[in-house]
């Protein structure tokens, strides 16, 4: 009896440990929060979890404790009701608010600091201005990038008044949002349809972007532009790929190896199947291209991601979502299968070629989640790019009765430092929704152990939060699913925000209102 009791007790303890390993705590929905509330999960400041909310023009910061009970809500009365842009930068003991507003034809970019208690520190300060902006246009002129180490920011704007001479203006800021430098440069082009996209910032303060120049009867010519932190040096390097048709190009900076990487799916003929992934590596120290590699997918790789017997189009619905750099210079490309159907007519990545369904040079670096990823969002549909909010049906204005959105397998493709494919793994999910897309997709958290992927799954009316883990050594394991007990809750995994090494805030919708849950990862 004693032995049986001890075994029983050990099983109970193990069960409790498992529950603690993967668990969640749900907040209630506040009575003051309205349908259509705009929000952004800011992160953890001190020992509280911050969420920005905007209800009918009233902006507040809601602070939740460890039990996800709201303990404080501060009004941000200094913010104008009409904003052209709004961004938050969260640190452990403070938050900076960067916002854009317009007075007559002048647009202002301003910054304000909030204390750990959510109070305004000092007075907001103007960072920069732009003139001759059409009144009430809602134009967002300034864009702000933060380095991976969170020590530097660059506020930049692109003047497209003369397409043949694009003007870029930058201000470099430290982590206290003090101006420590700035520069201006022009990008000359003979093509009137030249555009800049995919801006990125390294830890040294150097700025990078892509220049896309339209060519008659050919894919856009792409080049990498480098602007030194001092503003004294501008280098443009053409990305020469012979006959490959690049689509869905992504620019990332590997600060560990002091390199810039471009990765893109490619085809060998217009509107053909995706044949492989092209990699281009540029060395920052020498200011030169050091690697170009076109990895043609084998049948074995195609079988890994295919959803049907015809494997030729296995990657046609895959879009690069993110690129994770490893310490040894290798990297993992994460791509998700995304499709939409209108009255049973599918949306193809080639419908807007050249450039593909994602190609929108004015999105700048906004392909990062939670917006600007899916093809229907990249074409300008969906939510306001400065506010996280559920997306509606982009076709509703055109009289279509129904749109189906699908987000299926996640493909993980590992490449060595020379851009050669090493292995491919998949997270096998299948998600679909009608007329809205905020309940499909996935979210991630990263820590020293690796990357954990969370997505929402329904089985016979029961809702699960499913977690898969990719270790730093490349092992993919499926963790225990979290069965949610709340009825009629719709989870939004793509809006998940990491707030600690092993925790994240996950929004949900209940009766058209938004609430938040804290998820604990193993």
């Amino acid at each position: 009896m004693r032995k049986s009791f001890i075994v029983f007790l050990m099983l109970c303890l193990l069960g409790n440990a498992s529950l603690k390993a993967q668990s969640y705590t749900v907040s209630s929905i506040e009575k003051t929060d309205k349908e259509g509330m705009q929000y952004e999960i800011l992160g953890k400041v001190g020992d509280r979890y911050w969420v920005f909310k905007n209800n009918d023009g009233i902006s507040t910061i809601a602070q939740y404790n460890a039990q996800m009970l709201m303990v404080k809500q501060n009004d941000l009365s200094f913010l104008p009701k009409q904003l052209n842009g709004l961004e938050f930068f969260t640190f452990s003991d403070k938050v900076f608010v960067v916002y854009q507003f317009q007075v007559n034809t002048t647009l202002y970019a301003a910054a304000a600091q909030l204390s750990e208690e959510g109070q305004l520190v000092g007075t907001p300060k103007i960072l920069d201005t732009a003139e001759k902006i059409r009144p009430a246009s809602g134009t967002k002129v300034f864009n702000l990038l933060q380095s991976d180490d969170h020590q530097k920011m660059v506020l930049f704007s692109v003047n497209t008044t003369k397409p043949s001479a694009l003007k870029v203006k930058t201000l470099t800021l430290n982590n206290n949002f003090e101006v420590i430098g700035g520069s201006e440069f022009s990008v000359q082009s003979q093509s009137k349809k030249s555009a800049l996209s995919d801006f990125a910032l390294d830890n040294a303060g150097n700025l990078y972007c892509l220049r896309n120049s339209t060519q008659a009867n050919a894919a856009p010519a792409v080049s990498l532009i480098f602007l030194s932190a001092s503003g004294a040096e501008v280098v443009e390097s053409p990305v020469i790929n012979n006959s490959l048709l690049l689509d869905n190009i992504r620019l990332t900076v590997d600060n560990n190896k002091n390199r810039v990487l471009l990765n893109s799916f490619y085809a060998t003929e217009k509107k053909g199947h995706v044949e492989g992934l092209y990699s281009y590596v540029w060395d920052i120290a020498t200011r030169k291209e050091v690697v170009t590699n076109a990895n043609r997918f084998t049948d074995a790789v195609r079988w890994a991601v295919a959803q049907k017997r015809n494997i030729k189009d296995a990657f046609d619905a895959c879009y690069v979502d993110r690129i994770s750099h490893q310490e040894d210079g290798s990297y993992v490309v994460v791509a998700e299968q995304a499709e939409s159907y209108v009255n049973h007519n599918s949306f193809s990545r080639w419908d807007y070629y050249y450039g593909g369904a994602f190609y929108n040079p004015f999105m700048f670096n906004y392909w990062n989640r939670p917006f600007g990823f899916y093809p229907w969002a990249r074409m300008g549909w969906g939510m306001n790019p400065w506010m996280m909010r559920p997306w509606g049906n982009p076709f509703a204005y055109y009289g279509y009765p129904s749109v189906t959105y699908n987000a299926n397998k996640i493909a993980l493709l590992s490449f060595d430092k020379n851009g050669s494919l090493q292995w491919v793994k998949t997270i096998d999910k299948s998600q679909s929704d009608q007329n809205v897309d905020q309940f499909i997709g996935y979210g991630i958290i990263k820590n020293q152990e690796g990357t954990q992927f969370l997505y929402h799954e329904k089985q016979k009316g029961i809702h699960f939060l499913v977690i898969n883990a990719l270790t730093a050594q490349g092992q993919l394991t499926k963790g225990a699913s979290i069965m949610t007990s709340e009825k009629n809750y719709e989870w939004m995994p793509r809006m998940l925000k990491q707030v600690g090494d092993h925790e994240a805030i996950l929004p949900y919708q209940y009766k058209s209102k938004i609430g938040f849950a804290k998820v604990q990862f193993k």
Side-chain angles (χ1 to χ4, degrees):
M1 287 290 294
R2 183 179 180 184
K3 183 178 180 181
S4 299
F5 176 75
I6 291 174
V7 171
F8 173 76
L9 182 61
M10 290 178 66
L11 289 172
C12 289
L13 291 173
L14 287 172
N16 288 334
S18 176
L19 288 174
K20 288 182 180 179
Q22 312 283 6
S23 62
Y24 70 101
T25 306
V26 178
S27 74
S28 60
I29 294 176
E30 303 301 321
K31 293 181 180 179
T32 55
D33 293 343
K34 301 180 180 180
E35 293 185 16
M37 177 187 74
Q38 297 171 319
Y39 70 94
E40 182 173 345
I41 301 164
L42 303 187
K44 191 173 184 179
V45 183
D47 59 354
R48 294 176 181 173
Y49 304 92
W50 284 30
V51 177
F52 167 79
K53 300 179 180 181
N54 185 288
N55 286 285
D56 292 341
I58 299 176
S59 297
T60 60
I61 295 290
Q63 300 180 33
Y64 296 85
N65 63 14
Q67 292 73 43
M68 291 307 291
L69 298 173
M70 193 175 76
V71 295
K72 196 172 186 180
Q73 184 158 276
N74 293 34
D75 288 341
L76 302 183
S77 56
F78 63 88
L79 287 178
K81 286 192 174 182
Q82 297 297 323
L83 292 172
N84 293 45
L86 181 64
E87 297 173 80
F88 295 89
F89 295 85
T90 304
F91 297 86
S92 60
D93 59 347
K94 59 190 174 185
V95 170
F96 285 96
V97 187
V98 179
Y99 56 99
Q100 299 177 45
F101 64 97
Q102 189 168 346
V103 178
N104 299 321
T105 59
T106 302
L107 189 138
Y108 298 86
Q113 181 181 339
L114 303 179
S115 68
E116 190 173 334
E117 295 299 317
Q119 302 291 336
L120 179 65
V121 177
T123 58
K125 57 183 179 182
I126 302 298
L127 299 175
D128 205 349
T129 61
E131 303 293 339
K132 298 181 180 179
I133 306 300
R134 182 167 58 87
S137 64
T139 302
K140 182 177 184 288
V141 172
F142 298 100
N143 301 275
L144 192 61
L145 295 176
Q146 186 176 41
S147 60
D148 286 347
D149 62 3
H150 296 178
Q151 297 304 302
K152 291 185 176 64
M153 271 74 64
V154 163
L155 183 78
F156 70 93
S157 59
V158 182
N159 188 330
T160 60
T161 304
K162 295 181 179 180
S164 60
L166 303 177
K167 291 184 178 180
V168 180
K169 181 182 179 182
T170 70
L171 283 180
T172 304
L173 313 167
N174 61 20
N175 59 4
N176 286 316
F177 279 75
E178 299 165 332
V179 177
I180 57 176
S183 64
E184 293 187 41
F185 69 98
S186 294
V187 179
Q188 304 293 329
S189 173
Q190 295 179 352
S191 171
K192 292 185 178 181
K193 294 185 179 180
S194 181
L196 305 180
S197 67
D198 282 76
F199 284 77
L201 182 69
D202 67 17
N203 288 343
N206 301 312
L207 184 67
Y208 308 87
C209 69
L210 298 181
R211 181 160 76 101
N212 310 270
S213 300
T214 301
Q215 301 183 112
N217 302 316
V222 180
S223 58
L224 173 67
I225 293 179
F226 161 86
L227 173 66
S228 64
S230 65
E233 184 181 8
V234 179
V235 178
E236 183 169 3
S237 300
V239 179
I240 300 174
N241 61 80
N242 299 322
S243 60
L244 302 182
L245 304 178
L246 303 182
D247 178 61
N248 188 212
I249 303 172
R250 296 289 175 251
L251 183 158
T252 56
V253 177
D254 182 354
N255 285 292
N256 292 325
K257 293 298 181 181
N258 208 32
R259 308 188 307 173
V260 178
L261 282 79
L262 304 183
N263 287 279
S264 170
F265 286 121
Y266 71 84
T268 54
E269 60 182 15
K270 185 177 179 181
K271 297 193 176 181
H273 297 302
V274 170
E275 297 289 347
L277 190 130
Y278 174 80
S279 297
Y280 171 97
V281 182
W282 195 81
D283 183 70
I284 298 173
T286 62
R287 313 287 198 259
K288 290 182 180 180
E289 162 201 324
V290 291
V291 173
T292 58
N293 200 346
N295 284 270
R296 189 180 181 90
F297 296 139
T298 64
D299 285 352
V301 172
R302 293 177 182 277
W303 275 118
V305 302
Q307 301 209 70
K308 51 189 178 181
R309 288 192 171 186
N310 182 13
I311 63 171
K312 289 183 179 180
D313 61 354
F315 282 87
D316 286 4
C318 285
Y319 296 91
V320 177
D321 181 12
R322 66 182 74 244
I323 296 160
S324 178
H325 299 282
Q326 310 301 317
E327 290 186 3
D328 62 356
S330 63
Y331 54 94
V332 176
V333 175
V334 182
E336 187 181 17
Q337 293 175 335
E339 298 175 298
S340 66
Y341 299 86
V342 183
N343 293 347
H344 305 291
N345 293 319
S346 64
F347 180 101
S348 167
R349 77 182 302 136
W350 308 118
D351 287 346
Y352 294 89
Y353 205 73
Y354 292 109
F358 274 172
Y359 182 73
N360 187 338
F362 301 104
M363 293 297 287
F364 297 115
N365 208 38
Y366 296 151
W367 61 276
N368 290 305
R369 288 182 181 275
F371 47 85
F373 168 65
Y374 289 122
W376 46 88
R378 289 288 290 185
M379 296 314 297
W381 302 318
M383 63 184 178
N384 188 323
W386 57 266
M387 195 77 69
M388 300 183 190
R389 131 178 228 189
W391 294 337
N393 179 356
F395 297 100
Y397 298 102
Y398 301 96
Y400 290 100
S402 179
V403 183
T404 300
Y405 297 110
N406 294 331
N408 298 317
K409 285 186 178 183
I410 302 170
L412 309 171
L413 301 103
S414 177
F415 297 85
D416 65 19
K417 63 181 181 180
N418 294 318
S420 296
L421 182 62
Q422 300 300 295
W423 51 256
V424 58
K425 294 179 171 66
T426 61
I427 296 174
D428 300 327
K429 66 180 181 68
S430 179
Q431 299 169 304
S432 181
D433 215 332
Q434 295 291 122
N435 297 329
V436 291
D437 70 352
Q438 67 261 36
F439 308 120
I440 61 175
Y442 68 96
I444 71 163
I445 75 162
K446 296 183 67 176
N447 50 40
Q448 291 183 345
E449 289 80 26
T451 304
Q452 291 180 294
F453 299 77
L454 179 145
Y455 63 92
H456 178 219
E457 189 176 80
K458 299 178 188 177
Q459 296 179 8
K460 297 180 179 180
I462 300 176
H463 294 245
F464 294 89
L465 297 176
V466 184
I467 298 173
N468 287 250
L470 179 69
T471 68
Q473 293 74 36
Q475 296 177 326
L476 181 64
T477 58
K478 186 173 183 178
S481 301
I482 305 173
M483 184 174 69
T484 61
S485 57
E486 293 78 13
K487 293 183 178 180
N488 302 319
Y489 276 36
E490 295 289 346
W491 301 93
M492 304 180 185
R494 198 169 65 254
M495 310 297 182
L496 177 141
K497 171 84 171 186
Q498 183 172 357
V499 295
D501 283 345
H502 297 91
E503 62 182 8
I505 301 297
L506 174 66
Y508 67 87
Q509 182 172 297
Y510 176 70
K511 294 183 178 180
S512 300
K513 291 191 175 183
I514 304 297
F516 305 92
K518 181 181 68 173
V519 182
Q520 295 282 354
F521 290 78
K522 184 176 180 179

